[in-house]
């Protein structure tokens, strides 16, 4: 069985997200741990988180994939932005302990002029300041499209971050199909080759989750504009190949497609049908 779900709003609380996903026909989901653009976070009610933990256990959900704020930038040229990012990451890790045993995905960062090398250094430094061996969360670096000065647009860049992190067992990678494609990896014509590269450079053991999106733009465009499944340049056949690929088996698939509830329900149904 595939593990499929979509990004949900946290405004009604944690248990509510679990109930929503059940009604959507999925068995995993993503949410922003705080306002994705503003960075402020409202406190989690521990009882609410505990009810979600029970709900997902009773309904055999796969791992959940929380998403860090877009404003969190561990490698900004601006020191204040960097420190804010570090503070967000620290708080988010504490909050994740209320839903232990899941994933926390974030955008490695944008170096805003410092250069990729320095960016990699700062991201690893930030992770080393926060990751602890007793944490119950695995932190995922998201593969990026390479828009602006984004770090993490190649498997090599991601691995260079991982290389510098002390507690490597707390790290994984989230494979965003739109981003990987926009970064220049041809997952339509050369999926096996791309996954072999991933394995050689990072190792498939680090592949923990998939952001399952079509792309509005062509391979190598570095644009990062998500599209509904089958409505973009990746196309439904290639997306199906990805979902059915043996190395993707059992990974949580998170839809971040431009959809309303009905659209998500329909895409979750489509993906579930591939596995019937
Ligand atoms: Fe993302
Ligand atoms: Fe994504
Ligand atoms: Zn994106």
């Amino acid at each position: 069985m595939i593990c499929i779900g979509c990004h949900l709003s946290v405004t009604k609380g944690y248990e509510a997200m679990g109930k929503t996903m059940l009604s959507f026909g999925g068995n995993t989901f993503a949410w922003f741990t705080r306002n994705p653009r503003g960075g402020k976070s409202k406190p989690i009610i521990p009882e609410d988180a505990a009810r979600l933990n029970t709900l997902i256990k009773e309904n055999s959900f796969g791992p959940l994939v929380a998403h860090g704020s877009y404003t969190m930038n561990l490698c900004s040229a601006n020191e204040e932005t960097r420190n804010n990012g570090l503070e967000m990451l620290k708080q988010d890790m504490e909050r994740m302990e209320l839903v232990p045993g899941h994933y926390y995905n974030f955008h490695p960062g944008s170096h805003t002029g410092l250069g990729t090398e320095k960016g990699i250094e700062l991201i690893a430094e930030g992770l080393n300041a926060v990751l602890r061996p007793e944490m119950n969360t695995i932190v995922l670096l998201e593969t990026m499209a390479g828009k602006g000065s984004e770090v993490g647009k190649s498997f090599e860049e991601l691995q260079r971050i991982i290389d510098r992190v002390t507690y490597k067992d707390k790290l994984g990678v989230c494979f965003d199909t739109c981003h990987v494609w926009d970064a220049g990896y041809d997952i339509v014509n050369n999926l096996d080759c791309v996954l072999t590269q991933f394995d050689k450079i990072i190792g498939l053991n680090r592949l923990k989750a998939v952001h399952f999106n079509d792309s509005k733009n062509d391979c190598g465009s570095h644009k990062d504009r998500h599209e509904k499944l089958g409505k973009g340049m990746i196309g439904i056949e290639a997306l199906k190949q990805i979902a059915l690929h043996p190395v993707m088996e059992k990974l949580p698939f998170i839809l971040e497609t431009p959809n309303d509830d009905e659209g998500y329900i329909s895409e979750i149904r489509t993906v579930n049908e591939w596995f019937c």
Side-chain angles (χ1 to χ4, degrees):
M1 199 177 88
I2 186 167
C3 183
I4 176 83
C6 65
H7 196 101
L8 293 176
S9 160
V10 71
T11 43
K12 289 193 182 122
Y14 277 59
E15 186 192 22
M17 290 191 288
K19 286 183 171 166
T20 300
M21 192 40 62
L22 274 182
S23 76
F24 281 15
N27 54 359
T28 180
F29 60 88
W31 74 100
F32 286 120
T33 48
R34 58 184 65 235
N35 186 328
R37 310 220 173 255
K40 280 254 179 315
S41 63
K42 73 175 193 196
I44 307 174
I45 301 159
E47 295 75 21
D48 181 33
R51 283 194 295 271
L52 173 68
N53 294 334
T54 308
L55 180 147
I56 59 180
K57 204 190 256 167
E58 284 175 357
N59 293 283
S60 322
F61 273 44
L64 309 180
V65 192
H67 199 306
S69 169
Y70 290 147
T71 55
M72 185 173 112
N73 186 1
L74 299 181
C75 64
S76 169
N78 181 313
E79 197 185 349
E80 198 187 329
T81 307
R82 240 166 31 226
N83 289 338
N84 283 340
L86 213 53
E87 193 49 41
M88 283 186 223
L89 181 62
K90 212 175 280 170
Q91 283 176 15
D92 282 353
M93 287 305 101
E94 287 164 15
R95 293 154 66 89
M96 285 300 288
E97 289 299 313
L98 290 171
V99 276
H102 297 280
Y103 298 134
Y104 171 89
N105 165 81
F106 78 109
H107 296 181
S110 293
H111 65 68
T112 62
L114 294 176
T116 303
E117 207 44 58
K118 185 70 188 165
I120 288 170
E121 238 173 74
L122 287 167
I123 295 159
E125 225 174 79
L127 287 166
N128 281 330
V130 175
L131 300 190
R132 291 291 168 265
E134 62 274 15
M135 273 173 32
N136 290 297
T137 302
I138 303 285
V139 173
L140 307 184
L141 302 166
E142 182 166 352
T143 57
M144 301 312 293
K147 185 174 46 135
S149 63
E150 277 173 355
V151 178
K153 61 189 177 297
S154 69
F155 301 153
E156 285 85 354
E157 287 181 17
L158 293 171
Q159 183 54 37
R160 273 150 70 202
I161 298 170
I162 297 168
D163 279 339
R164 291 169 172 269
V165 172
T166 308
Y167 300 117
K168 292 183 175 50
D169 59 322
K170 298 296 169 200
L171 280 185
V173 171
C174 174
F175 189 100
D176 185 310
T177 52
C178 167
H179 296 179
V180 165
W181 168 257
D182 282 19
Y185 293 97
D186 189 352
I187 49 176
V188 172
N189 299 300
N190 292 315
L191 177 62
D192 276 318
C193 177
V194 172
L195 291 173
T196 303
Q197 265 179 282
F198 187 102
D199 193 29
K200 277 205 185 123
I201 297 160
I202 303 178
L204 285 169
N205 59 318
R206 295 238 184 252
L207 179 58
K208 302 294 186 194
V210 177
H211 281 173
F212 203 44
N213 307 307
D214 210 327
S215 172
K216 283 197 199 297
N217 296 286
D218 209 349
C219 186
S221 64
H222 304 295
K223 287 277 205 308
D224 189 2
R225 301 282 313 281
H226 301 191
E227 184 51 284
K228 295 183 174 79
L229 301 189
K231 301 275 188 259
M233 305 284 277
I234 299 176
I236 204 71
E237 269 317 306
L239 287 165
K240 188 173 173 182
Q241 293 310 313
I242 293 165
L244 293 172
H245 199 286
V247 312
M248 300 294 193
E249 228 177 19
K250 298 193 180 98
L251 298 181
F253 274 62
I254 305 291
L255 299 162
E256 297 176 311
T257 44
N259 272 309
D260 54 13
D261 289 0
E262 285 312 312
Y264 280 130
I265 291 166
S266 145
E267 288 189 346
I268 289 169
R269 192 187 308 120
T270 299
V271 174
N272 272 324
E273 279 167 6
W274 293 340
F275 290 85
C276 291

